[in-house]
Amino acid sequence: MNLLKAASTVSLLTLLSRIAGLVREQLVAAVFGASGATDAFNVAFRIPNLFRRLFAEGAFSQAFVPLLAATRESEGDAATSRLVDAVATLLAWVLLATCVAGVVAAPVLVWAMGSGLARLDEAVVMTRWMFPYIGFMSMVALAAGILNTWKRFAVPALTPVLLNLCLIGATLWLAPHLARRGVQPIYALALGVMLGGLLQALVQVPALRAVGCLPRIGLSPASIRRAWHHPGVRRILHRMAPALLGVSVAQLSLVINTQIASHVAVGAVSWLSYADRLMEFPTSLLGVALGVVLLPQLAGAQARDDAQGYSDMLDWGLRSVMVSALPCALALLLLPTGLVAVLFHYGRFTAADVAMTAAALRGYGVGLLGLVAIKVLAPAFFARQDTRTPVRIAIGVLVATQLMNLALVPWLGHAGLALSIGLAALANAGLLLRGLLRRGTYRPAPGWAAFGARLLLANAALGAGLAWAAHGIDWLGLRAHPGERVALLAGVLLGVALLYFGVLAACGLRPRDFVRRG
């Protein structure tokens, strides 16, 4: 399998999803602005997302995907299908219980996440409506693990488009309908989330059937007992424990930061959410795509005891991160006002909101390289079924993040929260890399010094172009001319991209250098 082609496929499909996500955020910003209502929705939406990241895309995926890949490599498809059936059965019943408990405990969960919200009661209502979303998305995570192991990357990468389309529809059509009936229009977003979650789960069924691995969920007590006693399930649960602790540490940081933001100012949660959306654009396009492709391949290399292939794939991933993430980080650092103004400065989203969101975006930009690199470095541990090392690192990073919050938030407000996350991501990535180097798991291939010099020169040229655009164009003053502003930003980004890759090519670094087969 061509790793560059696979990662590019995931990236392109993820790009479609992220474009839809940006359109969705633009509409939400224009219709609702950065207000108490949007703060309430963002907190309510973060609660099921927090549980999803804890159990589905976090600890579960980290434990399930390597074992699934190793089982298929060593025992064949029949044994793999039995493992999938057992895991799906147990997961479905656990999710049902979790969703019921979450709906009941919504007031406590909202208070723990954002007790300073101006519209706490509305957040509770939306949390109750959206909590079953975790059930849909956990089954989507199960399906994604299966499809990625079978090297079917398209459906999992494209699936998030459905959520964004549902939220776009809810903002454009359902919100005005609710407003005419005297119902709080922000509730339309909660209904859009639920419909999006259901559709994302349903589209996995034909894809799973196509690879012959559609899970069969047992409904009887006997089938649940059999699933519980399946040796693969026990191994997953055993490996989930440290992974769950590690992911919990990261999500605890999110809870603390959201709680702090809810007390900083009305709109602070929303400013951070809009900035986070822009930061996630390169993180998902680059880091998630590389991680999705590399994890099953690294797990397969580990199962074959191919240490050199394992190290070479990791080296390829890190070089890809450096080439792609550094210019994106410079864009967030040097051109945040232009990016935020072009995307969100419409309707109820004011110039003050642009300034506040841009300040948060700079903080995230500091750590973008670390955030993307983690998506490659962490799977290197998970593929070796080592979840303990990332956990220990994550605990130390959590403590460091909150210590930085104590120093930065009184000085920078909500932007201090973003900066703490960015600095912590760099520390996390550095510690993960150091661990791989010390163990000899990763042995850098020759040529990193020359590679780094080429990158430095290309990024210097790109940074100069971005700095000129940041200071030479009045991005806020062009609000009355949105078409001209969009064209200017597109021209700037295209121009600096051509400059960047042109310098790399002149230095002898070309795309074919990154073609690798796994």
Side-chain angles (χ1 to χ4, degrees), residues 10-224:
V10 175
S11 250
L12 287 173
L13 294 174
T14 304
L15 175 62
L16 179 60
S17 171
R18 293 305 169 187
I19 290 173
L22 281 176
V23 173
R24 149 196 149 190
E25 293 297 333
Q26 285 178 306
L27 290 172
V28 171
V31 172
F32 299 104
S35 62
T38 53
D39 283 354
F41 169 74
N42 284 316
V43 168
F45 193 27
R46 283 185 185 183
I47 291 172
N49 270 325
L50 182 149
F51 283 91
R52 172 177 62 85
R53 289 168 180 166
L54 277 177
F55 297 107
E57 296 174 359
F60 171 73
S61 291
Q62 293 169 15
F64 174 62
V65 173
L67 181 61
L68 185 69
T71 300
R72 191 179 185 219
E73 185 79 32
S74 58
E75 300 179 37
D77 288 351
T80 305
S81 293
R82 290 193 293 272
L83 171 64
V84 167
D85 291 344
V87 170
T89 296
L90 197 60
L91 181 63
W93 287 101
V94 169
L95 289 172
L96 178 61
T98 302
C99 290
V100 171
V103 170
V104 173
V108 176
L109 295 172
V110 171
W111 182 86
M113 179 71 83
S115 61
L117 289 174
R119 299 190 177 185
L120 199 67
D121 292 342
E122 292 175 10
V124 170
V125 172
M126 287 187 281
T127 298
R128 284 183 164 144
W129 289 3
M130 289 190 288
F131 206 89
Y133 177 75
I134 182 183
F136 296 132
M137 295 312 299
S138 297
M139 299 309 290
V140 169
L142 172 68
I146 297 167
L147 294 171
N148 290 336
T149 301
W150 260 257
K151 300 182 177 66
R152 302 292 192 270
F153 301 109
V155 171
L158 196 57
T159 295
V161 170
L162 296 173
L163 173 66
N164 292 321
L165 292 178
C166 288
L167 284 169
I168 289 170
T171 303
L172 289 176
W173 296 294
L174 184 56
H177 177 73
L178 293 180
R180 286 193 296 270
R181 292 179 173 270
V183 179
Q184 174 56 251
I186 199 72
Y187 290 157
L189 298 182
L191 295 173
V193 167
M194 281 303 299
L195 178 59
L198 175 61
L199 292 178
Q200 287 182 88
L202 290 177
V203 299
Q204 309 303 313
V205 174
L208 291 170
R209 186 178 287 121
V211 300
C213 204
L214 180 65
R216 292 172 295 182
I217 298 174
L219 302 178
S220 66
S223 63
I224 298 172

Side-chain angles (χ1 to χ4, degrees), residues 24 62 64 111 115 206 268 338 350 360 366 387-388 397 410 413 420 427 437 446 458:
R24 149 196 149 190
Q62 293 169 15
F64 174 62
W111 182 86
S115 61
T350 66
V366 168
T387 53
R388 296 180 184 276
V397 168
S420 296
L437 291 170

Side-chain angles (χ1 to χ4, degrees), residues 313-384:
M313 278 189 280
L314 190 53
D315 191 85
W316 172 85
L318 289 174
R319 290 182 188 238
S320 299
V321 166
M322 296 295 291
V323 167
S324 56
L326 275 175
C328 294
L330 284 176
L332 299 187
L333 286 167
L334 298 176
L335 196 60
T337 300
L339 292 170
V340 175
V342 170
L343 293 172
F344 300 130
H345 191 209
Y346 309 99
R348 297 186 180 181
F349 201 86
T350 66
D353 293 328
V354 171
M356 294 298 185
T357 305
L361 192 58
R362 283 194 184 93
Y364 285 135
V366 168
L368 180 65
L369 181 62
L371 290 166
V372 176
I374 289 168
K375 303 295 185 182
V376 171
L377 294 167
F381 290 91
F382 303 145
R384 298 173 65 86

